[in-house]
Amino acid sequence: MAQGEVYAMDIAGRYEHPDEFSDAFDRVCVGVQNHTDQQGIHSHWHERMEILLMRQGRLQLICGNDCFEVLPGGVAFINPNEIHMGQFLEPQNQTANVIFHLDLLQTAGMDEADRQLDDLLFGRLRIAHLVYQDDELVHLVDLVSLSVTPSSSLMQVKACLMEILAAAFAHYSAEDSTVYGSGSSLLPKLLTHLHSHYSEPLTLQELADYSGFSKT
């Protein structure tokens, strides 16, 4: 992800394949982007976690069922597999972006931290979409987004990511049984099915039958 590049998709609701990321490190994409009010983030989703820090300007962001405005100093969390899109509202806008796959932080053994990361990946645990007035989070996101230098290391980036998620888990996360429930692990499968069959007629009943849920 180059500086100033627009992070957007040209197909509504498109699944973004990991190969489409320009990674600074293995499975980690970081950087600072400049945007105008003529640019937006088209509707898309991906399996990676995305963290966005608004450094300048304003962004109207739709993430899942939530619509909110991100102002300077706001940190937006886009959970894995959440459809999201947005529009920049000021002539000059700047964001710090961190996009990474959660398995980067998991160890060979399944300890409590690994289970939390697994719950986040499959929707059993969600992080609040918007956080304000948390200087620690702002500092950490800024730090990792600016860490693409010849002297930087993946270990430093991973340490920052773990600090960010540790703070988010402690203060801004909750199990979402109402929306995701026990069938949350089916969400990636259902979204992949939609992506593969978007050109075909799809009914709500067919999708309900495929996912094992009722139409309601």
Side-chain angles (χ1 to χ4, degrees):
M1 177 164 48
Q3 184 169 349
E5 179 184 350
V6 181
Y7 179 62
M9 291 293 146
D10 56 3
I11 301 176
R14 176 183 173 184
Y15 166 66
E16 185 178 70
H17 192 273
D19 292 344
E20 296 175 18
F21 289 91
S22 177
D23 292 352
F25 300 99
D26 184 27
R27 299 190 298 284
V28 182
C29 182
V30 298
V32 174
Q33 298 178 326
N34 296 300
H35 318 263
T36 71
D37 55 1
Q38 302 300 312
Q39 296 171 328
I41 303 171
H42 292 183
S43 178
H44 69 287
W45 61 280
H46 41 72
E47 296 168 355
R48 298 192 184 194
M49 185 82 194
E50 181 170 356
I51 305 172
L52 180 149
L53 168 63
M54 203 72 198
R55 302 182 73 187
Q56 177 187 354
R58 294 184 299 145
L59 169 64
Q60 189 77 28
L61 188 61
I62 299 174
C63 187
N65 294 322
D66 293 341
C67 179
F68 49 92
E69 190 171 308
V70 190
L71 303 175
V75 179
F77 285 89
I78 300 167
N79 294 285
N81 300 306
E82 286 189 326
I83 296 176
H84 53 285
M85 61 183 297
Q87 180 64 47
F88 294 98
L89 304 176
E90 298 290 341
Q92 294 183 335
N93 307 270
Q94 188 178 83
T95 61
N97 302 76
V98 183
I99 308 168
F100 61 98
H101 204 295
L102 292 169
D103 68 4
L104 174 74
L105 306 178
Q106 291 182 308
T107 59
M110 184 62 76
D111 59 17
E112 182 59 32
D114 291 314
R115 283 191 286 272
Q116 284 187 307
L117 293 172
D118 202 53
D119 285 344
L120 182 61
L121 176 61
F122 288 105
R124 296 184 291 268
L125 185 70
R126 314 305 288 172
I127 295 177
H129 286 140
L130 186 60
V131 174
Y132 273 116
Q133 297 180 336
D134 191 317
D135 294 338
E136 178 188 7
L137 279 178
V138 170
H139 170 72
L140 288 170
V141 176
D142 230 358
L143 181 64
V144 71
S145 66
L146 296 172
S147 63
V148 185
T149 67
S151 61
S152 60
S153 71
L154 180 59
M155 184 177 292
Q156 291 172 317
V157 173
K158 289 174 67 173
C160 282
L161 292 176
M162 286 297 286
E163 283 194 72
I164 292 170
L165 290 182
F169 281 140
H171 303 292
Y172 309 112
S173 64
E175 295 181 2
D176 198 340
S177 59
T178 301
V179 178
Y180 296 93
S182 60
S184 60
S185 60
L186 292 174
L187 181 59
K189 178 182 177 182
L190 178 59
L191 292 175
T192 300
H193 178 76
L194 288 170
H195 174 66
S196 301
H197 301 276
Y198 69 91
S199 61
E200 305 171 10
L202 291 173
T203 65
L204 183 59
Q205 185 61 60
E206 178 186 349
L207 296 176
D209 292 341
Y210 178 81
S211 60
F213 290 96
S214 67
K215 288 174 63 175
T216 302

